Amino acid sequence: MTSTEIRELRNAPAMLPLFAKAVIRAGVKPGKAPALPDIGIRLRDVVLDSKHLATYRKVCAFPADGHLPVTYPHLHAHPLFMSLLLHEDFPFAAMGLVHVRNRITQYRRINEREQLDVECSFGELVQVEKGYEFSILTHVSTGGELVWESESTMFRRGGGSGGGQSRKTPPETTPAENFEEWKVPADAGRRYGAVSGDRNPIHLYPLTAKLFGFKRQIVHGMWSKARCLAALHGQLPDGAFTVDVQFKLPMFIPATVKFVQEDAADGIDFRLLAKDGVKPHLTGTIRSAG
């Protein structure tokens, strides 16, 4: 996208004003033919805060090994995400968007002392059966070397194409047998929100979640992905690899969940399941990017 207009920032945008703006723009309507603005945002020379990194590791259960956790660069991209979603030409309201998929490719391990350049831009917008899906692309480089990139796919309900095929009866599934059981506390959303800056009300308290139609607060999808990768930390490839996840059913917290991993011919498959060992909160794959 050589014609993309890239706006340079000197500092990361503050999250609280961005959320306030999101509330103001909650009534934005997409119109009959929504289109994404051809824009991007770049933040150069991001210096990592060791205390912030230590807190993130604690919240997500990553060990300290001198390198950034695979999901950590996403935190530096999140304020840029929000700035894109609040651009005056963005056709949807930021409130109500659902993160449905996330793919990260790490080309090499990133030393925690490296300075990073982070750039975010819009990908493709497509109309699906129940609404619209679009992606936000993130590229992280250091010294001109691309070291990390991601594609986050968002869903906006309404205005879909319809005409979907009739649903097939899902196959019967037996509960998982080989798993790790985790207890996810009620404050997990508040703790992750504090370190990530994503203080969306649906993640904080039962009352604030009910205002948006949830019976109680739900955990962040990117916390779930990070927690799974923390459990797999010692098994991640040494070279370039891609970790691709789909976010399924929301995880109402507090919760008891089951983490399942399986060796595949070309990598690792993993799932984060509800207490019954059947219903999925997240499914993912890890594959070499070589």
Side-chain angles (χ1 to χ4, degrees), residues 3-242:
S3 62
T4 300
E5 177 188 349
I6 303 296
R7 182 161 62 97
E8 297 271 359
L9 299 181
R10 299 184 64 179
N11 298 290
M15 290 300 294
L16 286 179
L18 289 175
F19 273 112
K21 187 175 180 181
V23 173
I24 294 172
R25 296 189 80 250
V28 170
K29 303 296 182 183
K32 294 183 178 180
L36 299 177
D38 195 7
I39 59 170
I41 300 178
R42 183 185 297 129
L43 182 63
R44 294 189 183 275
D45 299 326
V46 176
V47 179
L48 302 179
D49 183 325
S50 59
K51 291 184 178 180
H52 183 267
L53 177 57
T55 301
Y56 180 81
R57 283 173 170 149
K58 183 176 181 180
V59 169
C60 300
F62 281 105
D65 64 353
H67 297 88
L68 298 187
V70 180
T71 46
Y72 188 73
H74 180 83
L75 269 64
H76 291 286
H78 189 68
L80 308 189
F81 273 40
M82 289 296 295
S83 296
L84 289 176
L85 298 178
L86 296 172
H87 188 275
E88 60 183 4
D89 294 329
F90 181 66
F92 307 119
M95 303 293 282
L97 295 175
V98 179
H99 195 177
V100 292
R101 293 188 297 279
N102 178 267
R103 183 177 69 239
I104 291 172
T105 298
Q106 179 175 280
Y107 293 99
R108 68 162 173 81
R109 294 197 296 172
I110 305 172
N111 189 291
E112 62 186 39
R113 296 184 180 277
E114 292 186 80
Q115 289 187 331
L116 306 178
D117 296 335
V118 184
E119 181 179 312
C120 293
S121 59
F122 286 115
E124 184 180 9
L125 172 68
V126 294
Q127 188 179 36
V128 295
E129 180 185 350
K130 295 184 178 181
Y132 289 90
E133 287 187 356
F134 67 93
S135 59
I136 298 179
L137 309 176
T138 301
H139 297 85
V140 176
S141 59
T142 177
E145 175 193 6
L146 179 65
V147 292
W148 189 99
E149 63 182 355
S150 74
E151 179 176 9
S152 295
T153 302
M154 315 297 293
F155 170 71
R156 191 269 187 187
R157 183 177 295 275
S161 60
Q165 297 180 352
S166 58
R167 292 183 179 272
K168 296 181 180 180
T169 303
E172 293 185 8
T173 304
T174 56
E177 296 181 355
N178 299 315
F179 57 84
E180 291 182 28
E181 188 169 274
W182 301 339
K183 300 290 186 180
V184 184
D187 67 348
R190 296 193 293 276
R191 294 175 66 218
Y192 185 81
V195 74
S196 68
D198 184 355
R199 293 183 172 89
N200 189 319
I202 65 175
H203 301 305
L204 303 182
Y205 298 96
L207 179 59
T208 57
K210 287 178 181 178
L211 294 175
F212 293 88
F214 294 92
K215 61 183 180 181
R216 63 180 187 272
Q217 70 270 36
I218 63 175
V219 81
H220 300 71
M222 287 304 295
W223 177 88
S224 297
K225 180 172 185 175
R227 182 65 184 87
C228 290
L229 289 172
L232 294 167
H233 182 78
Q235 304 173 57
L236 298 178
D238 291 331
F241 68 92
T242 295

